[in-house]
């Protein structure tokens, strides 16, 4: 028997009714997405029937598009409804009523999967709800609208990292569609009722919605630092030439923006701790700006790491005594009396002093740590970590990265701070750039040490300061009686043996400090009978 995978589409029609053990699925539509979906379903082991208003006209076109759709039958929409109980509707929303309204009776009881997306983000109802109003007696499931035709056709790009969102009022239909998606190699997210389709259709129309505020905010900070640099080094004093604007001068506001945005990444969690301690509960909502800020921490962190990477590259390119004279030992050239000044004398560059080497060491270490934190922000990498590992990296390791970043700036600027007056100290760009990071580190250490650490931990475990009936989770309740029940056959197997055992708790009896259990025959038990609510 010839391998059916080598049989081209439409060249040999296959009788799907005779193929035992294979589920028949229908697709209404013959566009690019419908063809890609048919390929993926066929390769996943399903029999596929494609329904078209003009099957005769579409047959030659589909044959030219692909010869890999094995066993797919192209037929009319009515025949597709008759042969399949689960049907993908791969049509535009505008065509629902015209194309499908004549088949209201044929679609009765069928599971229809709406894969369409709307063109505008705001709509009164979703496309899936509109389809349900057209075919009132069918079961509509919203799904696969977040998967592109390219993803369906490319097995290298598609897989468990691509999520299929599903919504329907029928839980059994959701389960069936979820099984299909899993068989195709996708992970499934069940969003419940059909009203969730509004979110699903709006979600795919968003363009970097979580990145807009962080990017605009970062751009504003960069402009402020740039203006201050121009005033400081070109207006108040002529320190640099205009030819140095592109790399030397631009590198300064770049690194200052990077460390400021890095501090902004970790600041909202400390503000949230202040709000929770002030309210004495975790159940009161944060202010809207703070809630939005907390959701944007990942974007702020990645933007900061991107700027730090550019700063590292630019600094590496400029690493020479000409640009960083304070990092290198000065070279003294002594011209002998018998040597003409016009002669060219070879001069070896000076080596780094402690300041240059220490700044490089601390900066490289901080960059590596922040690179680890940035890599674990990638979903595929983050999903491979458990909660404790992820929290260790993004809480403890990231704090170490912030401290080392501040240390890198201090090594570069601290030797000059000593000789500056108080007023001039606040003009130093290195000093100004570490003020916000130092505040974040101070708040982090304050909330991480007793007594605030224990108080905050109680609040986050559900304790409320204003609730009189609330029992602190750190206070142990009174001990309760322990009753241990043993099966007689089990006890017989341990005759003459002294056992030490743990017990189950029973709140109905008094609470002595120790209690002995029934001791049948010669078995002796030593049982601890105190329990703690913790």
């Amino acid at each position: 028997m010839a391998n059916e995978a080598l049989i081209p589409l439409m060249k040999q029609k296959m009788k799907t009714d005779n193929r035992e053990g294979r589920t028949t699925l229908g697709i209404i539509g013959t566009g690019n997405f419908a063809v890609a979906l048919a390929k993926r379903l066929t390769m996943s082991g399903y029999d596929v029937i494609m329904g078209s208003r003009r099957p005769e006209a579409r047959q030659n076109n589909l044959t030219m598009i692909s010869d890999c759709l094995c066993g797919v039958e192209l037929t009319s929409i009515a025949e597709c409804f008759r042969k399949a109980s689960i049907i993908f509707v791969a049509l535009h929303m505008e065509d629902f009523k015209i194309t499908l309204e004549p088949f209201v009776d044929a679609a009765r009881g069928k599971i229809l999967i709406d894969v369409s997306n709307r063109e505008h983000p705001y709509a009164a109802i979703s496309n899936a709800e509109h389809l349900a109003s057209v075919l009132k007696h069918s079961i509509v499931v919203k799904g696969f609208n977040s998967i592109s035709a390219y993803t369906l056709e490319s097995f290298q790009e598609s897989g468990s990292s691509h999520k299929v969102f599903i919504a329907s009022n029928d839980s059994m239909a959701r389960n069936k569609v979820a099984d299909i998606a899993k068989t195709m190699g996708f992970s499934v997210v069940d969003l419940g009722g059909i009203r969730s389709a509004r979110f699903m259709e709006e979600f795919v129309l968003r363009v970097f919605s979580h990145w807009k505020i962080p990017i605009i905010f970062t751009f504003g900070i960069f402009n402020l630092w740039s203006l201050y640099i121009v005033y400081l080094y070109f207006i108040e004093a002529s320190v640099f030439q205009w030819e140095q604007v592109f790399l030397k001068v631009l590198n300064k506001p770049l690194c200052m923006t990077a460390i400021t945005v890095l501090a902004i990444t970790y600041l909202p969690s400390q503000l949230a701790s202040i709000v929770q301690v002030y309210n004495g509960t975790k159940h009161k909502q944060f202010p809207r700006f703070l809630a939005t800020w907390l959701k944007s921490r990942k974007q702020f962190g990645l933007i900061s790491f991107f700027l730090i990477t550019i700063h590292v590259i630019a600094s590496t390119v400029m690493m020479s005594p000409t640009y960083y004279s304070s990092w290198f030992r000065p070279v003294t050239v002594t011209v002998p009396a018998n040597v003409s000044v016009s002669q060219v004398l070879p001069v070896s560059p000076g080596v780094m002093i402690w300041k240059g080497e220490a700044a490089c060491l601390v900066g490289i270490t901080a960059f590596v740590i922040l690179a680890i934190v940035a890599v674990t922000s990638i979903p595929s990498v983050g999903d491979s970590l458990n909660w404790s590992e992820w929290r260790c990296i993004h809480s403890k390791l990231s704090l170490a990265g912030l401290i080392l970043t501040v240390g890198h700036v201090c090594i570069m600027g601290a030797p000059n701070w000593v000789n500056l007056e108080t007023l001039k100290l606040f003009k130093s760009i290195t000093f100004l750039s570490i003020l916000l990071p130092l505040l974040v580190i101070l708040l982090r250490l304050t909330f991480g040490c007793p007594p605030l650490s224990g108080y905050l931990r109680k609040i986050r475990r559900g304790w409320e300061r204003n609730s009189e009936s609330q029992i602190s989770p750190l206070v142990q309740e009174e001990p309760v009686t322990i009753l241990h029940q043993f099966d007689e056959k089990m006890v017989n197997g341990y005759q003459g043996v002294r056992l030490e055992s743990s017990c189950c708790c029973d709140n109905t009896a008094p609470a002595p400090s120790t209690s002995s259990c029934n001791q049948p025959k010669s078995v002796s038990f030593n049982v601890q009978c105190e329990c703690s609510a913790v």
Side-chain angles (χ1 to χ4, degrees), residues 266-286:
Y266 300 106
L267 182 59
S269 58
Q270 310 311 315
L271 297 180
S273 299
I274 294 175
V275 172
Q276 289 180 337
V277 170
Y278 177 79
N279 293 330
T281 178
K282 72 171 185 178
H283 301 292
K284 189 174 181 179
Q285 290 185 349
F286 294 125

Side-chain angles (χ1 to χ4, degrees), residues 13-88:
K13 293 186 178 181
M14 308 194 70
K15 298 180 179 180
T16 57
D17 296 338
N18 296 333
R19 304 177 69 178
E20 298 180 357
R22 293 170 66 96
T23 304
T24 300
L25 300 177
I27 300 176
I28 297 178
T30 55
N32 294 334
F33 187 88
V35 171
L37 183 61
K39 289 181 183 179
R40 189 58 177 253
L41 290 172
T42 303
M43 295 179 182
S44 300
Y46 292 100
D47 287 338
V48 179
I49 301 175
M50 299 185 72
S52 173
R53 289 174 290 183
R54 297 180 296 275
E56 298 81 7
R58 298 298 184 192
Q59 184 162 339
N60 293 331
N61 294 336
L62 290 178
T63 305
M64 290 187 296
I65 290 174
S66 176
D67 290 335
C68 305
L69 294 172
C70 314
V72 175
E73 180 181 353
L74 181 60
T75 182
S76 63
I77 296 178
E79 191 69 10
C80 184
F81 274 117
R82 188 184 69 83
K83 291 186 176 182
S85 59
I86 301 178
I87 302 171
F88 289 84

